[in-house]
Amino acid sequence: MLIIKLAFRNLIGAGLRTWLNVFVLSIAFLMIIFVQGLIKGMGEYAVEISVDYNYGGGQYRHEVYDPYDPLTLEESHAPLSKTLSGLIERGEATPILITSGAAFPEGRMQSALLKGIDPDQEILKIPSSFLGTDTTDAIPALIGSRMAKQTKLGIGDYVTVRWRDVNGMFDADDVQIVQIMRNAAPSVDQGQIWIPLERLREMLQAPGEATFVVLEKNFAEAPPGDTTWIHNSPDLLLASVTELIKAKAGTSNILYGLLLFMGLLAIFDTQVLSIWRRRKEIGTLMALGMQRARVIWLFTFEGALHGFLALVVGAIYGIPIMAWVMKHGIPLPSAVEDSGFAIPQALYPSYGVRLLVGTTLLVLVSVTIVSFLPASKIAKLKPTDALRGKQS
Amino acid sequence: MKNGALITTSGLVKQYPVGRGHFTALRDIDLIIERGEFTGLVGPSGSGKTTLLNIIGALDFPTSGSAVVLGTDTTKLTHKTAARLRTEHIGFIFQTYNLLPVYTVFENVELPLLLLGMDQGRRKQAVMDSLEWVGLTDKAKSRPAQLSGGESQRVAVARAMVKRPGLVLADEPTANLDVENSHNILKMMVKLNKELETTFLFATHDQKVIDYVRRKITLIDGKVAEDIQTTPKSQ
């Protein structure tokens, strides 16, 4: 109790010096949580958006389909199995048909994937209901904001698309852009044109066929696939996103370490300076009868209190700021859409209990350790040298 | 006034390593200081006064010989037991006051009692009594930076006296004070010595202090050159 009492007295008595240190440490502490929260929020958003717009609760993919190999698309569709048809009829899944083609915006040719989706589906967040729009003279089409930017197409614009049917014959028609998707995952946006499923089936002369079938989110027990339709679990589908998040987490950990290092350096510096400047005080404490171990604990506890006060001060001004950012997000320039990573128009940080508790404990433990190191030097200080303000 | 030996040093030697050799600060010091004495260790700078005071105060250890203080041989103390001896029985007064700058006057005087583990009620009473002795009850909430030199040294005296130690060691207590403040401080110490029977041992070369002591031990080059009883000129 004596050490706690004296440490409090020393900190409060030091006035502005204490509060400056506390403020610097609280900034480092908040920055660690804020940056980690942002990166965590980005990761969660990437997963969420991939699930909502593309993967749902898992997919049944045609055996030949490889999303990374456009050459497989011509052969990667087939009539649906009874099991999958049953799922679709019960509204638990939705089929997607894909073919490779080309679009000709303003006379330029651009490769594009034509994707057919049921306008009435509610499995994916793709606003397919717009595809039910009655366009008298063209196929209604939906594109993402990245694609719109790339092709300079807007709502109401017409663009000619070309494709090959199942017999390998080229055909072409006009589509009219009826809606542009904002905040969609890049995997359903870049280089893609969404049209009604039945129209695409007609265009390809592939009635009742699909490339893959998406299960509804959180589907409890997915039936097993067969030789034609291979079941892909959400974990499997999200593997690449998860890997990307892990890679980004590695970078963020470096930033985490740097911020923590800055905060700890401030405390270490303060402690070293304190010992240097307070040698006479240490000598006086020893002369008055304070044991060396108690002196070490006093200085260590003072440092730990800096950490504790930084948490309190950081919470006072940090919680309102972080709550505001959680609600309103940090707006990002439109250029970030081209990054290829699922980044929203505004970044919303995510502060998990693990992040908050982990960072709090890490800051407290680290601050205590860096306070102990210079304080332990006191043990080697002779009282007579300390009284003379001399380092022994 | 023969109340029994409070301090006994025998063949006390203190050497400091200097380069390949050593410097001898104290040579074969044999002294007996009785309880209740008001004694000055006098001598020029470098004569070993502070070194002897530090050894008696268990802040330093001799190279050879012994120093028995309040029945305890300080040469056999560990850092921990030496700290306990200082906490319980010895008060220190320093030339530069050595008040803790971030503490108030009250907190500075209270510190030795906190180290003793005294309860809050007795502690408060003892601190206020001590501040009353030195006439600074009205400055209890002030910080050292707000005090004059004389007031600061009176706080240091109050801090040294608050636990009613058997021995007070004062190293050049008036060196930073003007004449008037020096006399005030010394008169106060004489009063405490008489009323509380506290033994005072000074290390000084200030004539004002020498005029107050009843025994003068002169050290020259680490040796006792003279040890005489004196009649205080100022009391």
Side-chain angles (χ1 to χ4, degrees), chain A residues 9-10 280 284 286 289, chain B residues 86-87 96 98 103 110 123:
Chain A
R9 271 188 191 175
N10 288 343
K280 207 167 176 180
T284 307
M286 286 176 168
Chain B
R86 292 195 295 272
T87 310
T96 49
N98 289 33
Y103 289 7
E110 187 190 27
R123 217 163 58 218

Side-chain angles (χ1 to χ4, degrees), chain A residues 71-238:
Chain A
L71 296 175
T72 63
L73 287 174
E74 299 299 326
E75 298 162 3
S76 58
H77 48 85
L80 295 165
S81 67
K82 277 187 180 174
T83 312
L84 295 183
S85 297
L87 287 169
I88 293 162
E89 276 168 26
R90 288 195 297 277
E92 294 170 343
T94 191
I96 306 287
L97 179 63
I98 310 176
T99 191
S100 62
F104 296 87
E106 295 174 342
R108 292 177 289 112
M109 192 184 90
Q110 183 170 342
S111 297
L113 287 179
L114 298 180
K115 287 188 166 181
I117 186 169
D118 179 2
D120 298 326
Q121 68 82 30
E122 290 177 348
I123 303 290
L124 297 174
K125 269 195 176 173
I126 292 169
S128 55
S129 59
F130 285 99
L131 297 175
T133 308
D134 184 22
T135 48
T136 51
D137 52 351
I139 304 164
L142 190 64
I143 57 172
S145 52
R146 295 174 183 85
M147 179 67 170
K149 194 175 169 191
Q150 217 172 5
T151 54
K152 297 190 174 78
L153 287 171
I155 294 172
D157 287 351
Y158 289 87
V159 64
T160 303
V161 293
R162 190 185 68 182
W163 69 93
R164 280 186 189 210
D165 63 21
V166 285
N167 301 314
M169 298 296 288
F170 278 110
D171 204 347
D173 204 343
D174 283 345
V175 300
Q176 186 184 13
I177 308 301
V178 292
Q179 182 63 288
I180 292 170
M181 294 185 279
R182 304 269 169 209
N183 300 326
S187 57
V188 298
D189 180 338
Q190 282 168 330
Q192 298 178 36
I193 298 172
W194 293 80
I195 61 175
L197 177 65
E198 286 308 322
R199 291 296 295 268
L200 186 59
R201 281 172 170 169
E202 285 169 21
M203 287 153 64
L204 296 181
Q205 296 176 24
E209 293 192 14
T211 304
F212 63 84
V213 173
V214 187
L215 280 171
E216 69 180 350
K217 212 164 132 181
N218 303 322
F219 194 82
E221 284 182 30
D226 54 36
T227 49
T228 308
W229 297 100
I230 314 297
H231 179 249
N232 286 255
S233 68
D235 288 344
L236 183 70
L237 294 168
L238 286 166

Side-chain angles (χ1 to χ4, degrees), chain B residues 92-156:
Chain B
F92 286 90
I93 298 169
F94 304 99
Q95 178 181 339
T96 49
Y97 329 128
N98 289 33
L99 301 179
L100 303 187
V102 299
Y103 289 7
T104 62
V105 165
F106 184 95
E107 289 166 346
N108 264 287
V109 179
E110 187 190 27
L111 190 54
L113 304 181
L114 282 171
L115 293 171
L116 271 175
M118 188 182 281
D119 65 76
Q120 195 181 0
R122 287 174 58 210
R123 217 163 58 218
K124 192 176 176 187
Q125 186 59 51
V127 172
M128 292 316 289
D129 286 348
S130 198
L131 286 175
E132 203 173 324
W133 292 335
V134 298
L136 283 175
T137 45
D138 57 327
K139 299 277 185 183
K141 288 181 182 169
S142 303
R143 294 201 184 255
Q146 298 167 302
L147 304 176
S148 67
E151 286 171 334
S152 294
Q153 195 60 299
R154 277 151 67 192
V155 175

Side-chain angles (χ1 to χ4, degrees), chain B residues 43-63:
Chain B
S45 295
S47 58
K49 307 183 294 290
T50 300
T51 303
L52 181 55
L53 213 63
N54 285 339
I55 290 171
I56 291 169
L59 288 172
D60 204 353
F61 297 95
T63 308

